[in-house]
């Protein structure tokens, strides 16, 4: 099953605010992850852990494409568990005084041997919580 995970939400703020939340590491830590080495530049490699301080899952990404206020594409990997990588694409589109945010996570089947924590179901639930709750609530507050 090589179908990407796609999650889409309308957020009732202008595209500029969504873009800043997606690309400013000081804002990211309020709704997403605390990514100290994130810089919105092509080729930037960034590292982070899940919230809570357990540091069980080292996440690593590399920015593959960046189009200001429209698209951010990066790899998503767990270098401590696998050399496999997936791709996450954030796309923004103005819509009726708000912003339509579409997240696509491709290649999730690359993690199928890593166990239940890396399942399609877990990622789908995670992305829905991140976009539909964390980001939406952070920006619309």
């Amino acid at each position: 099953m090589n179908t990407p995970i796609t999650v889409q939400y309308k957020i009732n703020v202008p595209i500029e605010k969504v873009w800043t939340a997606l690309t400013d590491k000081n804002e990211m830590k309020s709704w997403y992850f605390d990514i100290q080495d994130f810089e919105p530049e092509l080729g930037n490699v960034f590292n982070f852990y899940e919230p809570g301080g357990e540091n069980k899952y080292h996440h690593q990404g590399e920015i593959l494409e960046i189009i200001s206020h429209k698209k951010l594409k990066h790899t998503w990997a767990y270098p401590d568990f696998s050399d496999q990588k997936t791709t996450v694409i954030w796309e923004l589109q103005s819509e009726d005084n708000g912003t339509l945010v579409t997240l696509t996570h491709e290649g999730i089947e690359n993690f199928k041997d890593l166990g239940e924590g890396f399942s399609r179901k877990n990622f789908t639930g995670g992305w829905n919580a991140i976009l539909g709750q964390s980001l939406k609530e952070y920006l619309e507050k």
Side-chain angles (χ1 to χ4, degrees):
M1 189 151 85
N2 296 343
T3 309
I5 294 169
T6 302
V7 176
Q8 191 173 65
Y9 285 91
K10 178 166 182 226
I11 300 179
N12 296 307
V13 299
I15 212 164
E16 294 77 18
K17 285 188 179 239
V18 179
W19 184 255
T20 300
L22 262 185
T23 58
D24 180 320
K25 62 184 165 196
N26 295 317
E27 285 205 32
M28 290 163 94
K29 65 183 168 191
S30 298
W31 67 271
Y32 191 42
F33 295 101
D34 186 5
I35 309 177
Q36 294 295 315
D37 57 354
F38 182 87
E39 295 297 332
E41 297 166 3
L42 194 63
N44 173 249
V45 175
F46 54 94
N47 299 273
F48 60 98
Y49 290 90
E50 72 285 358
E54 281 186 45
N55 292 356
K56 190 172 164 189
Y57 298 105
H58 171 206
H59 300 67
Q60 187 173 72
E62 177 183 354
I63 297 179
L64 303 174
E65 185 179 3
I66 187 162
I67 302 169
S68 186
H69 297 84
K70 289 186 181 199
K71 185 177 187 180
L72 175 64
K73 179 178 180 178
H74 59 82
T75 61
W76 182 279
Y78 298 95
D80 297 348
F81 295 94
S82 171
D83 59 2
Q84 293 291 315
K85 293 180 180 177
T86 62
T87 305
V88 173
I89 305 161
W90 300 82
E91 294 174 288
L92 309 182
Q93 193 176 331
S94 291
E95 184 181 275
D96 303 328
N97 302 323
T99 305
L100 187 65
V101 181
T102 305
L103 178 133
T104 307
H105 194 162
E106 300 173 337
I108 204 74
E109 64 280 351
N110 293 347
F111 296 151
K112 70 180 181 306
D113 298 332
L114 299 182
E116 191 57 36
F118 300 90
S119 70
R120 167 178 289 277
K121 182 180 173 193
N122 269 18
F123 276 105
T124 302
W127 288 125
N128 273 294
I130 286 168
L131 261 75
Q133 294 167 359
S134 299
L135 180 61
K136 191 168 173 63
E137 289 170 12
Y138 171 71
L139 286 171
E140 291 181 353
K141 70 177 183 277

